[in-house]
Amino acid sequence: MKGNSRALPRFYYHDPADVAERLELDRLGCSACLSHKLVFDRVICGDERNDRQVGVPRVGHRCRWFKD
């Protein structure tokens, strides 16, 4: 029964510092990227190559245009 499992996701079993960093980046999403723009109190992707994810919140470091 996979749906009832209480096991943690696989990445939780790595280095605790890496896990904490990944969780923080997930929480920050696009606001951690240098390409983000703030429009009407909403963080959106500001990279001109990003034509499909404009306005989608929390793409963050998973976005291929993410710059740290």
Side-chain angles (χ1 to χ4, degrees):
M1 298 237 144
K2 201 172 196 176
N4 295 330
S5 176
R6 294 182 185 246
L8 295 172
R10 193 173 75 199
F11 76 90
Y12 275 89
Y13 295 101
H14 296 281
D15 181 23
D18 291 338
V19 171
E21 182 180 18
R22 179 172 175 178
L23 292 175
E24 185 175 2
L25 283 173
D26 282 343
R27 185 179 55 80
L28 290 172
C30 286
S31 63
C33 181
L34 294 176
S35 296
H36 83 279
K37 291 184 180 179
L38 192 62
V39 178
F40 297 117
D41 294 331
R42 186 172 183 199
V43 176
I44 63 169
C45 184
D47 196 300
E48 63 276 354
R49 296 170 294 174
N50 188 353
D51 58 349
R52 296 179 58 206
Q53 295 176 335
V54 173
V56 178
R58 301 184 57 81
V59 267
H61 70 286
R62 287 169 292 234
C63 177
R64 63 180 160 173
W65 297 288
F66 184 81
K67 299 177 189 171
D68 48 342

